[in-house]
Amino acid sequence: MLTLYHAPNSRSTSILQLIEEMSVADQIHVRIVTIPRHDGSGAPDAGNPHPEKKVPYLTDGADWVRERSAIIAYLTDRFDSDLGRPVGDPQRGRYLSWLAWYQGVLEPVALFRATGLSHPWLDATFRDMTTAIAEVEAALADQPYLLGARYSAADLLIAGAFHFFGQMDAELIPATGPMRDWITRCQDRPAVRRVAELDAG
């Protein structure tokens, strides 16, 4: 059986949301672990097999997957979910690109902004949050979701991240418009509300 190592209200929350969206909770064992928190609380959990004691971490027999983008692609493929885009689908490349863009661009620039870190090399490599927001807004200019008319796991991951970052920085997200509506639409899904209840204990 697959096992997800999860810490409530952490990066692994999005994976729990995905599991709820796909209705496969009966096929994945969720093991709650502790992690060090930014406020100084928490601690590494000896029962967490992640080499850095982080979450999420997914095991599938002898195999394992780490990093949210990889876990999302793995699970949507594994369960042939319409939240993903399978090999051969005309949107497969865009789907994988958005997942990788989150991990390789959005999260770094959000952290740079939050910490005030700036350097010409970083700006040249990752651009900035204004550019990241513009890319998402361009994708949503004439469609409700990143890949078109249908919600995907890419929306789950990226809209959830903007919601989280926006709670810390009220000026980050446009107050109105397609992006704000998209975030609200994605956060109002039953799976998101259900996981919020689970994480709250």
Side-chain angles (χ1 to χ4, degrees):
M1 190 176 197
L2 286 83
T3 298
L4 173 69
Y5 292 83
H6 166 62
N9 302 304
S10 74
R11 283 179 170 85
S12 58
T13 293
S14 57
I15 306 303
L16 209 56
Q17 291 169 351
L18 177 65
I19 291 169
E20 286 289 321
E21 285 278 4
M22 296 193 301
S23 300
V24 295
D26 61 330
Q27 299 180 61
I28 302 175
H29 172 65
V30 177
R31 179 167 175 180
I32 303 298
V33 296
T34 60
I35 57 170
R37 303 282 182 168
H38 292 298
D39 63 2
S41 65
D45 194 320
N48 182 358
H50 190 294
E52 299 167 26
K53 305 303 180 190
K54 294 180 178 180
V55 291
Y57 192 77
L58 181 76
T59 60
D60 186 359
D63 203 2
W64 52 264
V65 194
R66 57 191 281 190
E67 306 305 335
R68 277 191 285 181
S69 296
I71 292 173
I72 287 172
Y74 189 89
L75 288 176
T76 54
D77 285 356
R78 176 84 151 65
F79 291 100
D80 193 25
S81 172
D82 62 4
L83 291 173
R85 299 296 185 268
V87 174
D89 187 284
Q91 292 186 326
R92 174 70 172 185
R94 279 173 280 177
Y95 170 64
L96 293 178
S97 293
W98 277 117
L99 294 181
W101 179 83
Y102 165 78
Q103 203 85 43
V105 176
L106 180 58
E107 190 165 288
V109 299
L111 292 174
F112 299 156
R113 177 183 171 104
T115 60
L117 184 62
S118 179
H119 189 280
W121 287 13
L122 295 176
D123 296 342
T125 300
F126 298 100
R127 307 302 186 263
D128 55 23
M129 185 56 77
T130 300
T131 304
I133 288 173
E135 289 193 36
V136 173
E137 288 184 319
L140 298 171
D142 57 1
Q143 58 189 24
Y145 297 107
L146 294 174
L147 299 178
R150 209 158 39 97
Y151 178 78
S152 75
D155 296 290
L156 183 155
L157 176 63
I158 297 170
F162 274 113
H163 174 71
F164 175 78
F165 296 135
Q167 289 180 316
M168 296 189 299
D169 183 350
E171 297 179 0
L172 180 65
I173 311 300
T176 59
M179 185 172 180
R180 170 61 66 181
D181 293 344
W182 165 73
I183 294 169
T184 301
R185 192 162 49 247
C186 292
Q187 291 304 113
D188 194 38
R189 295 180 67 86
V192 175
R193 295 197 302 271
R194 170 64 178 150
V195 170
E197 293 172 1
L198 292 172
D199 271 3

